[in-house]
């Protein structure tokens, strides 16, 4: 990879690391991780989510019981102050990443767009 | 999104657009697109690839005939000078994008990595 490209990527990495969105995400993670009951509840929620996703992707059937279990776990974390704040911070970070990707990938979108016409 | 983050993304976008890898990809695309028989052959190959991918993702069975059709189309494009150069340029571009993402996503990888431990 050309040096200029690598330099620019490193500059963007530093800007991302210093951004409010990343700093807030980091703080919220630390908050949840230093709280044993919160981190266990969050981990349990993530595990349930992942299991359902894997089942969906492999085409396996998801039972009514599993859906209800996932809904209960989601309600629990949404009612938890620290976890809900962490999840909001994750969503904001995810929106930033999406926006960054849109900007960076413009040259390729233009190229592939023009090819598909 | 913070101004600095946006500025850095724009700088990276410019560097990507000016990179040898992108310029070569663009040239190879123009080469193929300005050659009617090459562009049709390439389009046909891409369509076959996409159809197979969609079938795989939806869990549909792929017939032996479809596998052979895809292999033949792949052989044709690999033997085509302009198309094989385009596909090599695409692979190089794709490696650059992967490298860029690794650099930019370091803060998030560090964060999530530490959580999963
Ligand atoms: Ca710079
Ligand atoms: Ca800069």
């Amino acid at each position: 990879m050309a040096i200029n490209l690598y330099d620019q990527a490193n500059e963007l990495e530093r800007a991302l690391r210093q951004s409010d969105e990343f700093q807030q995400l980091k703080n919220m993670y630390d908050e949840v991780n230093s709280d044993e009951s919160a981190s266990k509840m969050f981990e349990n929620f993530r595990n349930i989510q992942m299991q359902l996703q894997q089942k969906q992707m492999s085409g396996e059937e998801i039972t009514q019981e599993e859906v209800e279990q996932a809904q209960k776990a989601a309600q629990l974390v949404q009612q938890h102050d620290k976890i809900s704040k962490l999840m909001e911070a994750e969503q904001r970070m995810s929106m930033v990443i999406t926006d960054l990707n849109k900007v960076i990938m413009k040259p390729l979108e233009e190229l592939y767009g023009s090819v598909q016409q």
Side-chain angles (χ1 to χ4, degrees), chain A:
Chain A
M1 188 159 62
I3 290 172
N4 187 38
L5 214 42
Y6 199 74
D7 280 350
Q8 294 300 345
N10 275 315
E11 279 186 39
L12 179 55
E13 189 263 354
R14 273 193 296 275
L16 183 66
R17 196 183 287 275
Q18 287 159 8
S19 69
D20 289 345
E21 288 89 347
F22 181 72
Q23 289 303 321
Q24 278 168 16
L25 175 61
K26 202 172 177 320
N27 290 341
M28 294 302 121
Y29 252 119
D30 292 344
E31 280 282 322
V32 167
N33 272 337
S34 60
D35 178 334
E36 201 181 339
S37 106
S39 68
K40 275 189 180 161
M41 190 191 285
F42 192 52
E43 203 189 334
N44 177 53
F45 170 64
R46 281 284 142 95
N47 286 340
I48 291 172
Q49 269 194 325
M50 269 205 313
Q51 280 165 16
L52 282 193
Q53 269 175 14
Q54 279 167 357
K55 281 202 165 183
Q56 255 176 341
M57 272 162 42
S58 67
E60 263 183 88
E61 217 175 320
I62 293 164
T63 65
Q64 183 60 27
E65 209 185 320
E66 285 173 319
V67 173
E68 280 166 21
Q69 190 200 20
Q71 282 170 346
K72 264 185 210 161
Q75 274 171 4
L76 268 179
V77 295
Q78 274 155 20
Q79 282 160 7
H80 194 291
D81 189 48
K82 288 178 186 171
I83 303 178
S84 61
K85 278 182 184 155
L86 169 55
M87 288 169 71
E88 281 164 24
E90 282 184 331
Q91 270 172 20
R92 283 192 297 270
M93 189 77 258
S94 160
M95 282 165 62
V96 168
I97 302 293
T98 302
D99 285 349
L100 291 179
N101 272 324
K102 271 190 207 149
V103 172
I104 301 161
M105 292 304 155
K106 240 183 277 168
L108 287 162
E109 245 186 60
E110 284 170 20
L111 188 63
Y112 287 103
S114 74
V115 162
Q116 282 162 358
Q117 272 159 18

